[in-house]
């Protein structure tokens, strides 16, 4: 007989919030970047259901990686922006990567932001990839490279990838979809990310993390 774990967790007070916490990583800082359109779309679609925090490398202004947070012997002496950003990432239940494609690979602003924190920050939480480009391939070549990086950071990406070709035509500047593929595409990705995030959260709450 199957046990109703969700009911037991609710009864034991282990499910204080019904909303999953997701961190959305923007991946571009260059002029006329398209990630703000994608971010606006994601926020409009997902805010009612999820607790979203957006990390924008343009706003954070992290330096070119020389010393990640986990290399500091006393992390209390590390720059405040690193400590605060790490706390935000660590507290999340899952991640969304908004990945442009620079020369067929991951934008340096995104990899630089991710690499400032060690795998334990992301561990045992899933990620979802939303890739995009102004061309016809939708950033899929960069997404394949990003998948490898995310796996090494201990946040494996879910099977579905939401690719947005010709993003400049697919979304308005304020994130309104301009075709009938945008909402179903995001929904497909989020169905998987939600399932994995809920499952992994329940397992962390019940059994902790491997030693």
């Amino acid at each position: 007989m199957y046990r109703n774990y969700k009911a037991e967790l609710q009864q034991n007070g282990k499910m204080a919030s019904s909303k999953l916490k997701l961190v959305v990583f923007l991946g571009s800082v260059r002029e006329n970047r398209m990630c703000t359109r994608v971010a606006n779309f994601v926020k409009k679609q997902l805010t009612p259901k999820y607790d979203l925090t957006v990390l924008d490398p343009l706003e954070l202004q992290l330096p070119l990686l020389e010393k990640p947070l986990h290399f500091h012997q006393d992390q209390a002496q590390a720059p405040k922006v690193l400590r605060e950003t790490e706390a935000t990432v660590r507290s999340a239940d899952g991640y969304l990567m908004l990945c442009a494609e620079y020369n067929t690979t991951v934008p340096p602003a995104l990899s630089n932001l991710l690499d400032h924190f060690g795998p334990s920050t992301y561990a045992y939480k899933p990620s979802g990839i939303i890739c995009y480009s102004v061309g016809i391939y939708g950033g899929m070549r960069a997404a394949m490279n990003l998948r490898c990086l995310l796996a090494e950071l201990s946040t494996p990406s879910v099977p579905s990838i939401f690719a947005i070709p010709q993003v400049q035509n697919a979304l308005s500047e304020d994130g309104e979809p301009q075709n009938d593929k945008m909402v179903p595409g995001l929904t497909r990705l989020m169905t998987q990310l939600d399932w994995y995030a809920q499952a992994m959260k329940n397992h962390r709450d019940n059994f902790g993390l491997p030693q």
Side-chain angles (χ1 to χ4, degrees):
M1 181 180 295
Y2 292 105
R3 294 167 60 187
N4 189 339
Y5 285 106
K6 185 173 182 180
E8 291 178 15
L9 288 171
Q10 289 174 327
Q11 186 175 2
N12 293 332
K14 292 184 179 180
M15 294 184 68
S17 174
S18 60
K19 284 189 175 183
L20 289 171
K21 292 182 179 180
L22 300 180
V23 169
V24 181
F25 288 84
L26 273 58
S28 177
V29 297
R30 68 181 176 186
E31 188 177 5
N32 298 321
R33 59 184 184 159
M34 291 289 167
C35 64
T36 52
R37 297 188 184 210
V38 183
N40 287 336
F41 169 67
V42 167
K43 286 187 288 185
K44 287 182 177 181
Q45 295 295 319
L46 301 186
T47 296
K49 185 175 181 181
Y50 299 97
D51 181 356
L52 295 180
T53 301
V54 176
L55 294 181
D56 185 349
L58 188 60
E59 294 180 0
L60 292 171
Q61 289 291 304
L62 296 183
L64 185 65
L65 182 62
E66 293 183 0
K67 190 173 184 179
L69 180 63
H70 52 292
F71 279 20
H72 289 263
Q73 280 191 321
D74 181 3
Q75 292 191 7
Q77 300 303 313
K80 182 180 179 182
V81 64
L82 280 184
R83 290 184 280 113
E84 291 181 345
T85 304
E86 192 267 354
T88 297
V89 175
R90 188 178 292 274
S91 68
D93 298 307
Y95 311 102
L96 275 173
M97 306 292 163
L98 275 51
C99 183
E101 183 176 277
Y102 288 12
N103 298 318
T104 76
T105 193
V106 181
L110 179 56
S111 58
N112 187 65
L113 173 53
L114 293 170
D115 285 341
H116 270 87
F117 312 105
S120 65
T121 307
Y122 309 90
Y124 302 101
K125 299 166 187 178
S127 56
I129 298 173
I130 301 175
C131 57
Y132 60 91
S133 72
V134 298
I136 62 174
Y137 297 114
M140 283 298 294
R141 294 169 295 187
M144 294 299 99
N145 288 292
L146 180 57
R147 263 195 163 156
C148 297
L149 174 57
L150 295 175
E152 289 300 318
L153 288 174
S154 299
T155 173
S157 61
V158 300
S160 180
I161 292 176
F162 179 28
I164 310 173
Q166 298 179 328
V167 63
Q168 72 278 15
N169 300 324
L171 292 167
S172 68
E173 290 188 6
D174 61 356
E176 289 298 324
Q178 303 299 296
N179 62 55
D180 59 3
K181 297 180 180 179
M182 294 302 300
V183 173
L186 180 61
T187 300
R188 187 179 305 111
L189 172 66
M190 292 309 303
T191 297
Q192 293 186 6
L193 183 61
D194 189 284
W195 191 95
Y196 278 86
Q198 292 283 7
M200 296 172 86
K201 183 180 189 303
N202 288 341
H203 210 68
R204 290 195 310 274
D205 290 344
N206 280 285
F207 302 103
L209 299 179
Q211 298 300 315

